[in-house]
Amino acid sequence: MIAYSTVSYVSLQSAAFTEKEDSELLQTNRFMKKVNPGVVLPISLTISTRRNMIVEVDSADKFHGRIWRKLPESDIFRSDELSTRFHGRVLEFFNSKCELQFFMTWISTADSFGRREILAVESVFKAHPNGCLMILSRTMDSPQGYTVLKPLLDLGFNVQAVAPDFPFLLNNTPAEAWFDKIRSGKKDPGVIPLAQNLSNLMRLAVLYKYGGIYLDTDFIVVNSFKGLKNTIGAQSIDSASKNWTRLNNAVLVFDMNHPLLFKFIEEFALTFDGNKWGHNGPYMVSRVVHRVEGRPGYNFTILPPMAFYPVDWIKIVKLFKMPKTRAESKWVEAKLHQLAGQSYAVHLWNKQSGKLMVEEGSVMGRLISEHCVLCKQSMSTVSCSPIVETIIRSRTA
């Protein structure tokens, strides 16, 4: 797996995507969706329906009136014994026995940490049996969260949910003042759920403080991340020039105190807009890298889409379909071979695929059976623990 582009220089010049560039890249769905206030949006999703454009949310959809499964702001900001012990718990958990240290975030209810999220966690340990995964989450740092994770703990895997300490994570960063204004009500959070934007910021801050690998909860890890260093993935590239056209922040691999992370945090705080979907996530990291590449300073690598985003969100449904013909069966085998040889992880684009059934014999069905750790495999069937058993359903089920 080889990076198609390595960036070794960074700076602070400004750049932005243009509508012309977007129109050239856009292939389908030439419309802008409005967010349905009744839809439960995944915490980690920051992708709009158009490439390199920000989707405006209906102004009538007010933030505080949104019907959304989120924690009250008072719970998100609250400091207590759990959060004040955050730093010590992190240092204690990530010890010398950890081959790699992973982070995920979850700012939603513990009961909504479901089968797909568990599958993401399982796949981390399938590829990294000696890795350590910390889930930054107040709700998962609870008896209910412990129950969710217990099957993995019983197998000896190093996973722990820890309530984050936002003031500590943002202390001495460019986002410290931003957070104080948000918390005190002096800054408008916008109509996008605040938890979404806090997740975007928290992943940057925790990597800046501790280093490691951040991973969204809608991935299946298919190969070891060992050897990756200071890496971000491209979501799309120009077919002619092979230059990246958009990056994504769903996977980040960075050393502690890496200057590019500092620039990401700075950009987040300076340009924060809670009314534009994706503005503070994928578009933000794309803006920063677009203007800093080619400048002296920092070393980091941009991996091509095949590394983390091998299937575009528009085409993700195909991975869930049962092959009906010999040609389709050959395609499934070829796709699995390609993913095994060229990808580190497969982003499932939960917003688009969350309600899809995993059909028997599909690429997804095979990926689940090959990368879960709570499953017992036989020659042609997959028998899973209760946590993941209903992920795999045939068309006739």
Side-chain angles (χ1 to χ4, degrees):
M1 288 174 275
I2 302 174
Y4 76 88
S5 172
T6 300
V7 179
S8 20
Y9 307 102
V10 283
S11 110
L12 290 172
Q13 287 187 341
S14 168
F17 296 114
T18 67
E19 187 172 358
K20 180 176 182 295
E21 289 171 334
D22 178 72
S23 64
E24 290 172 349
L25 287 167
L26 190 62
Q27 302 297 321
T28 59
N29 289 6
R30 307 188 73 85
F31 57 91
M32 299 175 72
K33 290 185 179 178
K34 293 182 179 180
V35 177
N36 183 341
V39 170
V40 180
L41 297 175
I43 276 293
S44 56
L45 180 72
T46 53
I47 305 302
S48 73
T49 57
R50 297 185 63 184
R51 295 185 177 181
N52 294 346
M53 290 292 286
I54 305 300
V55 174
E56 296 284 353
V57 178
D58 190 346
S59 60
D61 184 21
K62 301 300 184 183
F63 173 75
H64 293 292
R66 174 179 291 275
I67 302 172
W68 187 71
R69 293 179 67 187
K70 68 177 183 63
L71 296 175
E73 283 73 22
S74 58
D75 283 342
I76 293 174
F77 298 138
R78 176 165 52 94
S79 292
D80 57 14
E81 182 183 357
L82 281 178
S83 62
T84 55
R85 292 171 47 216
F86 172 74
H87 180 57
R89 295 174 74 190
V90 173
L91 296 181
E92 181 181 2
F93 180 69
F94 289 121
N95 53 50
S96 58
K97 296 180 181 179
C98 296
E99 179 185 27
L100 292 173
Q101 56 188 51
F102 289 85
F103 293 96
M104 292 179 175
T105 65
W106 191 254
I107 313 182
S108 189
T109 57
D111 62 355
S112 63
F113 197 92
R115 295 178 179 88
R116 286 214 177 183
E117 288 74 33
I118 286 294
L119 176 61
V121 174
E122 287 187 64
S123 70
V124 168
F125 292 118
K126 182 71 172 183
H128 313 89
N130 297 315
C132 297
L133 168 63
M134 178 167 285
I135 301 171
L136 305 179
S137 173
R138 172 174 293 280
T139 57
M140 289 293 289
D141 190 2
S142 66
Q144 185 178 7
Y146 176 81
T147 299
V148 172
L149 299 176
K150 189 175 185 301
L152 291 161
L153 293 168
D154 289 345
L155 292 177
F157 294 116
N158 298 309
V159 57
Q160 183 176 3
V162 175
D165 184 345
F166 276 102
F168 172 79
L169 282 172
L170 300 178
N171 185 42
N172 294 324
T173 74
E176 184 175 14
W178 173 89
F179 182 72
D180 289 340
K181 290 178 180 179
I182 286 286
R183 184 167 52 173
S184 64
K186 296 178 181 178
K187 180 97 177 160
D188 179 15
V191 298
I192 303 299
L194 180 59
Q196 166 62 55
N197 284 315
L198 288 176
S199 175
N200 285 326
L201 179 58
M202 183 160 51
R203 69 191 66 180
L204 302 174
V206 76
L207 291 185
Y208 187 69
K209 292 285 187 182
Y210 301 105
I213 300 163
Y214 170 80
L215 192 69
D216 269 2
T217 56
D218 58 345
F219 273 92
I220 295 181
V221 176
V222 296
N223 279 300
S224 174
F225 281 47
K226 192 173 183 180
L228 292 182
K229 184 178 179 66
N230 300 323
T231 298
I232 190 169
Q235 178 184 325
S236 58
I237 60 174
D238 182 83
S239 58
S241 68
K242 303 303 180 184
N243 293 327
W244 66 269
T245 54
R246 188 199 299 174
L247 306 182
N248 201 303
N249 65 336
V251 179
L252 298 167
V253 184
F254 281 95
D255 293 339
M256 181 193 318
N257 296 324
H258 195 281
L260 185 61
L261 292 173
F262 186 90
K263 295 302 181 187
F264 287 156
I265 297 171
E266 182 178 60
E267 178 77 4
F268 181 100
L270 291 176
T271 68
F272 176 80
D273 190 332
N275 297 314
K276 294 180 178 180
W277 199 262
H279 178 83
N280 313 301
Y283 296 106
M284 181 274 293
V285 295
S286 297
R287 290 195 305 272
V288 172
V289 173
H290 192 275
R291 70 172 176 250
V292 301
E293 59 184 336
R295 296 283 177 145
Y298 321 151
N299 294 325
F300 61 96
T301 298
I302 301 174
L303 290 180
M306 185 55 66
F308 306 122
Y309 313 101
V311 182
D312 190 82
W313 62 268
I314 297 174
K315 300 178 181 178
I316 193 66
V317 64
K318 191 172 182 180
L319 295 193
F320 290 74
K321 295 298 183 182
M322 175 195 301
K324 300 176 183 177
T325 65
R326 180 176 298 179
E328 289 178 352
S329 295
K330 288 183 177 180
W331 180 86
V332 167
E333 295 299 329
K335 177 58 68 176
L336 289 167
H337 180 75
Q338 181 188 43
L339 295 176
Q342 301 181 36
S343 297
Y344 290 99
V346 180
H347 195 205
L348 300 183
W349 306 108
N350 223 27
K351 177 67 161 59
Q352 283 71 35
S353 70
K355 295 182 179 180
L356 296 176
M357 288 200 311
V358 180
E359 297 179 358
E360 187 177 3
S362 64
V363 172
M364 272 300 303
R366 293 277 296 277
L367 287 175
I368 291 170
S369 68
E370 291 170 8
H371 299 285
C372 63
V373 295
L374 298 174
C375 297
K376 294 180 179 179
Q377 301 182 42
S378 62
M379 289 183 62
S380 59
T381 63
V382 181
S383 175
C384 299
S385 72
I387 291 180
V388 296
E389 64 181 358
T390 58
I391 291 179
I392 304 175
R393 292 176 290 180
S394 69
R395 175 171 300 196
T396 59

